[in-house]
Amino acid sequence: MTTERWNDEMLDELASTVGEMRDSISEVKDSVDGLRVTAQALLQVAAQTQQRMDMFEEEMDLMKQQQQRHTEAMELMKQRQTESDQRFNVLLEEVRFLIRGKKEDE
């Protein structure tokens, strides 16, 4: 095995290569830091969006419950109106019957 001696030119080339690698590593670090910041921002936006969606779903559920209560109240009002109409019609028939009875007596 032969031993090669390093000369100034080889050392300069090695130093240049090391410097380039250091610059590349620095660029990669900067890119990773940029990606980390971007990822954190995206996660924050996603969390805010999810929070808004959760609030929207809660509001929709409340609105559905209110609509259901309103529908039930309307149905109850219709039922009561129908019952009231039926009682009125019965009373009206009784009044007509009584009027007919008075006319026949005369």
Side-chain angles (χ1 to χ4, degrees):
M1 180 165 141
T2 59
T3 305
E4 192 173 334
R5 298 196 71 169
W6 288 79
N7 59 30
D8 288 342
E9 185 180 313
M10 292 170 75
L11 289 174
D12 287 345
E13 188 177 323
L14 178 62
S16 174
T17 302
V18 169
E20 288 173 6
M21 289 179 73
R22 185 177 290 133
D23 291 344
S24 292
I25 290 171
S26 177
E27 288 175 13
V28 168
K29 274 178 127 179
D30 291 345
S31 293
V32 168
D33 289 342
L35 286 173
R36 183 178 296 121
V37 169
T38 302
Q40 288 172 343
L42 287 173
L43 285 171
Q44 187 176 11
V45 168
Q48 290 171 347
T49 301
Q50 183 62 47
Q51 187 178 24
R52 279 191 226 117
M53 289 299 293
D54 291 345
M55 289 172 55
F56 177 74
E57 286 179 14
E58 288 176 14
E59 289 176 9
M60 288 298 294
D61 288 343
L62 287 173
M63 290 174 68
K64 286 177 184 177
Q65 290 172 5
Q66 289 174 345
Q67 180 63 31
Q68 181 64 30
R69 285 192 296 270
H70 178 72
T71 300
E72 290 170 358
M74 291 297 293
E75 289 298 319
L76 184 59
M77 286 174 56
K78 286 179 185 178
Q79 180 183 355
R80 288 180 180 167
Q81 183 65 44
T82 300
E83 291 170 358
S84 179
D85 289 349
Q86 289 172 347
R87 283 192 298 272
F88 176 78
N89 286 333
V90 167
L91 289 173
L92 184 61
E93 288 300 318
E94 288 180 11
V95 168
R96 287 179 179 156
F97 176 77
L98 291 173
I99 290 173
R100 278 193 300 258
K102 286 243 179 197
K103 284 184 182 177
E104 289 176 4
D105 286 344
E106 294 176 357

